[in-house]
Amino acid sequence: MSKPAAPLKGRAARLARLMPSTGPSTAARTPFVLLVVLLLGGGLITLLLLNSALNEGSFRLSELKRDTTELTDEQQALQRDVDSRSQPDALERRARELGMVPGGSPAFLNPDGTVRGNPTEATAPPSPSPGPTPGPSASTGAGTSVAGAPAMPSGATSPSGSVPATEPDPATAPAAESTPPPTSPGR
């Protein structure tokens, strides 16, 4: 039938001695294969967690950049408001609305207590004549005045005995005009 395997000679015998037999080698390879699989699985899970952390940081960074842009726009809008209100003509107009008048010539006190300069009292400039001022804001219709009350003929007095005002009270006007306009971010 079949011939028994002849003993190997030379180079083949040396190679056969280097390679272990098939029986015990599968049992010795199992822990190594498990170690490699665990290392690869652990590496993949670590990469997944690292990628998730980087994506979260990227989203946070883009959110912070958007917030920074909005706050910068708001800061610039507020700075424009401050600049417009601190211009000399705006300051003068607001001071006049509050009833302030330009000061006279200043006087200074020297360190020894003497006065240098001629102090003068601040006086209001002459106001315009209190006569009626024609214009579209004088009345809104034929029978009503600006305030919504019935218009009276010129020279007529109100029931209290005083002449009706054709202009709004200057004491209440600054309160309505002194409020700053609303600002929105991004404009």
Side-chain angles (χ1 to χ4, degrees):
M1 300 211 191
S2 67
K3 258 177 166 182
L8 298 173
K9 297 179 182 177
R11 183 175 183 159
R14 281 183 293 196
L15 285 174
R17 278 184 291 182
L18 289 175
M19 295 185 62
S21 62
T22 57
S25 69
T26 51
R29 273 194 242 173
T30 304
F32 177 72
V33 170
L34 286 175
L35 178 66
V36 169
V37 168
L38 286 175
L39 286 176
L40 286 175
L44 287 175
I45 290 174
T46 303
L47 284 175
L48 178 66
L49 293 174
L50 182 63
N51 192 18
S52 297
L54 288 175
N55 283 338
E56 183 181 341
S58 175
F59 288 134
R60 180 77 175 133
L61 180 64
S62 64
E63 181 182 325
L64 289 174
K65 282 183 179 180
R66 187 187 71 236
D67 290 347
T68 301
T69 302
E70 289 175 1
L71 290 174
T72 301
D73 291 344
E74 184 178 354
Q75 186 261 343
Q76 289 174 350
L78 291 173
Q79 187 62 44
R80 279 193 305 270
D81 288 347
V82 167
D83 291 343
S84 68
R85 289 177 182 259
S86 63
Q87 292 175 349
D89 58 338
L91 289 174
E92 180 184 7
R93 180 180 43 81
R94 287 179 47 220
R96 288 193 189 277
E97 289 172 357
L98 293 173
M100 297 176 142
V101 295
S105 62
F108 301 98
L109 289 178
N110 290 325
D112 60 356
T114 59
V115 177
R116 183 176 52 156
N118 259 342
T120 58
E121 183 178 331
T123 58
S127 61
S129 64
T133 57
S137 64
S139 72
T140 58
T144 60
S145 67
V146 175
M152 299 184 150
S154 63
T157 60
S158 66
S160 64
S162 64
V163 177
T166 58
E167 295 183 21
D169 185 17
T172 60
E177 293 178 12
S178 65
T179 58
T183 59
S184 63
R187 288 190 182 208

